[in-house]
Structures are given as C-alpha cells and as structure tokens.
Amino acid sequence: MLNLEEKAFVEDCPASPLPHMLLNQENNVMEPSEHGLEATLYLTTACNLRCITCYVSAGAPLRNELSVEEWLRIIKKLSDLGTRYVYLLGGEPTLLGKDKLSKLIKASREYGMVTGMSTNGYFINEEMAKAIRKAGINQVQLSIDGASASVNDAIRGKGSFEAAIRAANVLKKEGINFSTSMVITSTNYFQSLEFVKMSESLGASAATLIVAHPFGNATNKIIPTRSEVQEAYDLLKYYKPKIKLILNGFRFYLKDFFQIGLKLDRTLNKSKKDASVCQAGKSRFVINSNGDVYGCELLMEPAFKEGNALKDILNDIWNNGFSAFRRRNSSKIYGCDSCPFSKICNSGCPARAYRFYGSFNHKDPLCPISTYK
C-alpha cells in the first residue's frame, strides 16, 4: 500500500506551490521550513494555451503588466521582507523570453531565495534551459494533464503533450531538477497511475496530482466526482513509486475520510507540518502581473486585494493586511462550530467556501461529515 510517510507529500490546499518549492535540488528531499515566507509571482497572464483547468483563466496579458525592472524592484522588497521561496508562474512565464526570465531568476537567487517555476514547456528549448540553469533556477514544474496525447491535449490543447515531453527531455539533459503536475478531472482521473509511471520514465524528481476545483476556466463539467477522485487515489495505493508523490486537495474526497482523510498531514522523510491550515496571508501570498497583492490566487478579485507590491510598502501590506484569512476561526464558522473534527481539518479551504457560499464563515463545501455516521 502507498506509504504516505515515505513516498507522499500531502498538501490540502489545491493551489499552493510549496511542494514544488520544497524539492531540494541536491538531495531530492523536501524539507518543510517553519520559517520564512513564500510568494508566488504571476509574471504575466499571457499564455499560448487555453487549458480548461486554468484557475486564473490565463490567455491575454493585463494592460498594465509590470516590466522586468519593476519586478526586480519587487524582488528586492521580497528579500527585505524575509521571503524564502519565490515561485514564478503565469500565464506562461517563459513568454517573457530567456533573457528577461533569467534576470528575475538570477536576482531572486542572489538574494538567497529558493526559486521555482511552473511552465507548459512549449518554449523550453536548449537555449532557454541553459539560460535558466545558469541563472540558478532550483526547480521547474511541467504541467501535463494526462499520460497520453489524446487525454492531455483534450484538456490543454493540440500539441501540448508533445511539447511537454520534449521539454522534460531538455530539462533532464541540462541537469535541471523538474517535477510533473497533473490536474485530476473527470476526463483523466483513470490515468493517475500511468501519469506517475510516465513521470518516472521522464526522469522527474516528483509527480504531483491536483484535484480540479471550479475556479477560472474549470467548469463543473470537468470537476471530478468523489468516486472518480477516490478511484484515482486507489490506483496508487498498491504501487511503489520510484519518485516522490505530491497529493493536492484529496482529503475531503476520500471515502475512508476518518481513517485516512483526517489523518493526512504534510509528511516526507519524517518531516511534519500541518497541511490542513490555510497558509494564505499567514506564510504565503501572491502578486499578480500588475503588482496587486492577494492572499490566495483563487481569490484574486477586488474584495481581497491588499495593496500593490510596486506602489505600496510591502512590509506594511504584510504586517497589516490579510485580515479575512488571518481571522478565520473554525470555532466560529457555520457548520464547524460544534464539529469535533474542526480543529483537525481547520474548516478546509476558505476559497472554496467563498466560491460556493459567498462567505469565509462557512465550512468547506467538500466536507463529507454530514454523510458519515
């Protein structure tokens, strides 16, 4: 059976990049840190793909996206704030080109920050790979939503599977630590094990499986059912993976919720850190491509804007903002106030609660407690 203690890193948040950021390039060990902040930088919302799973509905760039020089100023602010992890995302970050992207990677690395990036791989050629390796990139995540072209391309677009596989081979050749990521949907859940095996054959250091949630482009039509997520999990239970597995957002879907779901925490190599506590505005935040600051990428909307990283003092934003996230208390949340398990699951994901009920003060809509006796 799948040994969570040794082979899996469990993250309850469906959006957190921390598992990728914790991949240590030298010894391939994830080392959860109790100190330091993590920041995700959405360098652009432009993207060459139109994935039906994209939670930020990437495609066209914002009209007022930051220049490289402005991002460099923000990276300096992040360093001054004590940020330890920087994750570069989009859209598609490689659309900036190798020179601009390398400048940002190099700057964050010179400030001592662990730096990762997520990409669809379309523009990862040898020249791009050499440039980001030289700049000091720690880890790259390749998004591949299936173990075959037919399944993946139906989600991400024609030719995207071939491009990602080509990118994996280039990254491996250049000695860049990379992982793979698959969003579990109603159209690909049955390939969870095949995806892990494919990731192993590509030379990835880890394989991530993330349950799709109804944000951005992801409509209810592709959101997997509880039984489909359970099947994806069951396919892995008796497999002994050769690489690390990262499971995102599985907790509330499992039929053996009490035996496994409530016990899932962030584990690997005997390191532990509670993964059920939403870290938005507590140990992590995100910066959109125009500099606007939010606690969570699933809630990048006016009601949750905390300021602008370029125009405002970032330390003030961090010290005085994110009240909606920081004040959320499971003992005061509707549906959780009398539940004996609320201290364990911490009322689940506030973004899902807000998406379904329009309020943070409601339990996670995926909570299955009412269906169990």
Side-chain angles (χ1 to χ4, degrees):
M1 183 173 290
L2 180 63
N3 190 328
L4 292 175
E5 185 69 26
E6 296 179 359
K7 285 294 184 181
F9 182 96
V10 180
E11 173 61 69
D12 200 36
C13 175
S16 173
L18 188 63
H20 313 306
M21 300 303 297
L22 294 177
L23 281 171
N24 184 297
Q25 189 171 7
E26 294 180 357
N27 55 19
N28 194 28
V29 171
M30 299 178 192
E31 298 175 337
S33 171
E34 301 295 336
H35 308 285
L37 305 177
E38 50 176 303
T40 296
L41 313 185
Y42 285 79
L43 300 182
T44 180
T45 59
C47 189
N48 58 305
L49 300 181
R50 299 294 184 272
C51 304
I52 61 176
T53 53
C54 183
Y55 57 80
V56 296
S57 301
L62 297 181
R63 287 178 295 176
N64 54 345
E65 290 194 335
L66 302 178
S67 66
V68 169
E69 289 69 28
E70 289 170 329
W71 275 118
L72 289 173
R73 289 164 58 186
I74 289 176
I75 289 173
K76 172 61 166 62
K77 289 185 175 184
L78 290 172
S79 175
D80 293 341
L81 186 63
T83 306
R84 181 172 182 181
Y85 303 101
V86 170
Y87 195 59
L88 308 179
L89 218 142
E92 175 51 44
T94 59
L95 283 173
L96 270 67
K98 66 178 180 62
D99 294 335
K100 293 180 179 180
L101 183 59
S102 296
K103 280 186 179 180
L104 300 181
I105 295 170
K106 183 179 180 181
S108 62
R109 295 293 293 125
E110 287 179 344
Y111 284 121
M113 292 181 278
V114 178
T115 306
M117 179 182 75
S118 179
T119 175
N120 59 39
Y122 247 96
F123 306 104
I124 300 289
N125 53 27
E126 287 193 19
E127 190 177 10
M128 170 73 77
K130 289 180 185 296
I132 63 174
R133 175 180 56 76
K134 185 177 180 180
I137 192 75
N138 290 102
Q139 198 266 344
V140 172
Q141 174 203 280
L142 276 176
S143 296
I144 314 176
D145 288 335
S148 64
S150 59
V151 171
N152 171 88
D153 289 6
I155 296 172
R156 305 186 61 80
K158 186 176 181 179
S160 57
F161 183 80
E162 181 183 353
I165 299 302
R166 182 174 62 248
N169 291 329
V170 172
L171 292 171
K172 181 179 180 180
K173 180 181 178 181
E174 290 301 320
I176 296 175
N177 187 344
F178 74 94
S179 65
T180 57
S181 177
M182 172 180 169
V183 178
I184 299 294
T185 72
S186 60
T187 65
N188 68 2
Y189 68 92
F190 52 87
Q191 285 196 335
S192 63
L193 179 55
E194 293 177 66
F195 171 76
V196 173
K197 291 180 177 179
M198 179 191 71
S199 301
E200 292 173 339
S201 67
L202 289 173
S205 55
T208 297
L209 296 102
I210 310 171
V211 179
H213 292 79
F215 294 91
N217 292 346
T219 64
N220 289 329
K221 187 176 181 180
I222 67 165
I223 303 303
T225 64
R226 196 174 293 273
S227 61
E228 288 170 343
V229 176
Q230 179 68 49
E231 182 174 339
Y233 180 85
D234 286 345
L235 287 170
L236 300 169
K237 281 175 36 174
Y238 299 101
Y239 182 66
K240 295 182 179 180
K242 302 177 183 66
I243 60 177
K244 309 302 181 185
L245 298 187
I246 301 169
L247 306 180
N248 277 43
F250 277 74
R251 177 193 299 268
F252 290 110
Y253 282 96
L254 302 182
K255 62 184 177 184
D256 41 2
F257 180 68
F258 289 111
Q259 289 73 33
I260 297 179
L262 281 176
K263 296 179 181 179
L264 295 182
D265 58 5
R266 187 177 292 151
T267 65
L268 193 67
N269 297 331
K270 301 182 180 179
S271 295
K272 289 184 178 290
K273 184 179 180 181
D274 189 2
S276 67
V277 178
C278 174
Q279 297 301 321
K282 299 173 184 176
S283 68
R284 70 178 300 260
F285 60 95
V286 302
I287 303 176
N288 206 0
S289 58
N290 60 359
D292 288 346
V293 178
Y294 302 89
C296 171
E297 46 267 81
L298 300 180
L299 294 172
M300 290 197 292
E301 51 188 80
F304 300 102
K305 177 182 173 181
E306 302 292 343
N308 187 279
L310 182 67
K311 302 174 183 178
D312 303 323
I313 299 174
L314 194 55
N315 286 62
D316 289 347
I317 293 176
W318 180 252
N319 291 328
N320 304 314
F322 309 100
S323 60
F325 295 96
R326 293 175 180 177
R327 293 175 183 174
R328 192 169 189 255
N329 188 325
S330 60
S331 64
K332 299 179 180 179
I333 291 177
Y334 176 77
C336 300
D337 49 348
S338 60
C339 177
F341 304 108
S342 63
K343 296 293 185 182
I344 302 175
C345 73
N346 291 285
S347 301
C349 174
R352 287 196 296 257
Y354 187 82
R355 165 69 173 77
F356 281 87
Y357 302 111
S359 171
F360 269 22
N361 296 316
H362 200 292
K363 72 174 184 178
D364 194 313
L366 293 179
C367 175
I369 289 293
S370 62
T371 65
Y372 288 81
K373 302 298 182 183

